[in-house]
Amino acid sequence: MALINEHYMKLPNNYLFSDIAKKINSFKVTHPKEKIIRLGIGDVTQPLPAAVREAMHKAVDDMGSKETFHGYGPEQGYSFLIDAIIKNDYASRGITLEPGEVFVSDGAKSDTGNIGDILRHDNSIGVTDPVYPVYIDSNVMSGRAGILENGKWSDVVYIPCTEENHFIPDLPSRRVDILYLCYPNNPTGTTLTKEELKKWVNYALANDVLIMYDAAYEAYIQDPAIPHSIYEIKGAKKVAIEFRSFSKTAGFTGIRCGYTVVPKELNGFTLDGQRVQLNKLWNRRQSTKFNGTSYITQRGAEAVYSPEGKAQVKEIINYYMTNARIMKEGLLECGLHIYGGDNAPYLWIKTPHGLSSWKFFKKLLYEVNIVGTPGVGFGPSGEGYLRLTAFGDREDTLEAMTRLKKWLL
Ligand code: PLP
């Protein structure tokens, strides 16, 4: 008889996107002629950069000849990609990393979800709220979250990020062992300055807290003063793991590639207080449960760092960030309270007249045929907000703003 991991049974079904789909479908039945504009999507829409496509074509050809064929690769990633990552994403910002500290993977979702494998089940967890749901759900699966009561997990420390605190999280009131930070933030689109991030690194250093730093959207940072990596802060290598992704940077949501940095200076503890390098544990975990990202994919990711790749990626990011600017200006003109959108592809709207997230979602759908994502779907502090993304087509983005202005002005 196989006994199951009963923690899985505590997880409610993820209703958010299926509820949204149901509401759109019932709208379509009653309004078949209306053109819906979807600004709720968290997926990119622009095609893969040419430099990446060319590198992948060449890599396919490599696989076709005996001399250049690649079978199983290193589980941690090929050195051609790791070297390019270290040189371009870290050395360029004055951060020194060894190749053995970078682990290439099939994306940040897997890594942020799997990292808990190397940590005890009874660590306490802290998250900023609202939050990318994977952090909490993966901890529910391993029994770290407790039980769900009134929309909150009993053993999770929620650190609210709302209009009231300008989306800058306060240090938690209760002790946490592991803390998730995501900047630029999904869903609020807000960022932390170097000073604010320093506050968290110093807190972690003083209290032996492990920070999981998700920088999946760092490529969207426009303001040169905002840190791209937590390792820009002194001492961070002693307290933080950093997750990165090629998904939103270079259109890899369907290709799948990301990487995780686990510095060798970073330690966890055994119950009797012995220090253990987390790098060694993650290396062991990956070598056992992961067989490497495909050679073709890694050649594609390497091309993101070529001069052509860099220029093409910049153009795509500019496209989305121009959408974000158009949206922000349009929404502000409509008198709405808007956050994010300056250094991230997400805009976080305070619902007008104190409407709930879902009521505002429905009004947008029925009155102007625009789809967003109700903020409450990202956590209790998301109630009263709605997320729009800048990943749509320019034409749709412009049309959406015209509709909103007609509606609200
Ligand atoms: N981290 C955050 C904050 C995200 O929003 C997403 C995707 O939406 C991911 C990670 C997943 O990235 P990947 O496509 O690399 O798995």
Side-chain angles (χ1 to χ4, degrees):
M1 185 169 57
L3 298 176
I4 62 159
N5 176 350
E6 291 189 27
H7 298 306
Y8 276 63
M9 298 186 64
K10 297 180 196 160
L11 279 169
N13 283 330
N14 188 355
Y15 288 126
L16 180 63
F17 289 98
S18 62
D19 277 358
I20 291 173
K22 270 188 218 151
K23 289 197 164 61
I24 296 173
N25 285 340
S26 62
F27 172 80
K28 274 187 181 162
V29 171
T30 46
H31 305 77
K33 292 210 177 105
E34 304 295 354
K35 185 193 166 216
I36 293 173
I37 299 179
R38 291 169 194 265
L39 295 181
I41 43 165
D43 197 355
V44 293
T45 53
Q46 295 299 300
L48 210 55
V52 171
R53 293 200 309 270
E54 281 156 25
M56 292 180 81
H57 278 299
K58 186 176 171 306
V60 171
D61 291 338
D62 287 349
M63 298 301 267
S65 100
K66 205 160 187 224
E67 293 70 42
T68 48
F69 171 77
H70 285 73
Y72 287 127
E75 291 94 348
Q76 301 80 357
Y78 284 104
S79 57
F80 61 76
L81 179 55
I82 292 177
D83 291 348
I85 288 169
I86 291 177
K87 180 169 162 228
N88 292 282
D89 289 344
Y90 293 99
S92 65
R93 299 189 183 280
I95 300 161
T96 319
L97 290 179
E98 287 176 32
E101 297 180 307
V102 177
F103 297 84
V104 175
S105 72
D106 62 352
K109 188 181 204 174
S110 322
D111 287 357
T112 51
N114 290 330
I115 194 76
D117 274 15
I118 63 168
L119 299 160
R120 255 181 80 99
H121 68 279
D122 48 2
N123 281 294
S124 56
I125 301 297
V127 292
T128 55
D129 173 36
V131 74
Y132 177 54
V134 170
Y135 313 147
I136 291 188
D137 287 0
S138 58
N139 278 295
V140 173
M141 290 172 176
S142 50
R144 288 190 199 100
I147 49 166
L148 190 59
E149 294 167 327
N150 305 321
K152 284 190 174 182
W153 293 92
S154 57
D155 291 347
V156 172
V157 177
Y158 290 80
I159 306 166
C161 292
T162 59
E163 204 175 36
E164 284 72 38
N165 62 8
H166 309 286
F167 303 92
I168 299 168
D170 290 326
L171 295 175
S173 47
R174 250 166 68 193
R175 170 160 181 95
V176 299
D177 299 306
I178 301 167
L179 173 76
Y180 288 82
L181 294 178
C182 171
Y183 290 100
N185 188 260
N186 176 15
T188 66
T190 57
T191 49
L192 289 187
T193 63
K194 226 171 210 171
E195 273 315 300
E196 286 150 7
L197 192 53
K198 200 187 269 179
K199 173 184 87 177
W200 285 98
V201 170
N202 289 341
Y203 162 78
L205 283 164
N207 295 281
D208 281 328
V209 176
L210 172 61
I211 297 178
M212 303 291 184
Y213 194 74
D214 186 345
Y217 297 95
E218 65 77 33
Y220 289 84
I221 295 172
Q222 310 288 304
D223 179 347
I226 291 173
H228 287 242
S229 165
I230 194 166
Y231 306 123
E232 290 177 50
I233 312 296
K234 202 167 158 236
K237 280 199 208 168
K238 289 190 167 58
V239 291
I241 292 176
E242 180 161 291
F243 303 93
R244 294 270 187 115
S245 171
F246 292 97
S247 284
K248 310 295 163 77
T249 307
F252 272 56
T253 50
I255 306 273
R256 311 303 307 142
C257 194
Y259 65 89
T260 290
V261 178
V262 189
K264 292 191 175 163
E265 290 173 44
L266 178 63
N267 291 308
F269 299 87
T270 61
L271 211 49
D272 56 11
Q274 195 191 327
R275 283 173 183 273
V276 178
Q277 272 189 339
L278 291 181
N279 179 287
K280 279 197 178 149
L281 300 190
W282 185 243
N283 191 30
R284 190 71 175 86
R285 190 266 172 214
Q286 289 299 79
S287 318
T288 301
K289 293 195 182 180
F290 183 63
N291 234 347
T293 306
S294 85
Y295 170 73
I296 298 163
T297 298
Q298 292 192 61
R299 279 295 184 201
E302 181 194 23
V304 168
Y305 299 108
S306 67
E308 303 75 33
K310 281 183 189 171
Q312 291 159 11
V313 161
K314 199 167 168 209
E315 208 173 300
I316 297 174
I317 303 262
N318 282 345
Y319 179 90
Y320 294 135
M321 288 312 286
T322 303
N323 281 352
R325 186 176 49 72
I326 291 169
M327 290 163 76
K328 187 152 188 173
E329 285 170 5
L331 294 162
L332 285 172
E333 215 181 306
C334 292
L336 292 164
H337 290 210
I338 307 300
Y339 304 93
D342 296 325
N343 294 288
Y346 294 119
L347 289 104
W348 193 237
I349 307 180
K350 177 87 183 151
T351 62
H353 317 298
L355 288 175
S356 74
S357 294
W358 276 109
K359 280 226 167 92
F360 187 51
F361 165 87
K362 266 191 137 171
K363 262 178 106 58
L364 272 183
L365 176 60
Y366 277 80
E367 296 182 30
V368 275
N369 317 141
I370 293 172
V371 178
T373 310
V376 70
F378 298 98
S381 296
E383 180 55 285
Y385 295 88
L386 181 124
R387 189 190 76 174
L388 294 184
T389 83
F391 289 129
D393 280 327
R394 177 67 42 78
E395 244 177 66
D396 283 352
T397 304
L398 288 165
E399 168 67 18
M401 291 310 111
T402 307
R403 287 188 196 175
L404 281 170
K405 282 179 205 169
K406 252 199 211 154
W407 184 46
L408 289 168
L409 292 180

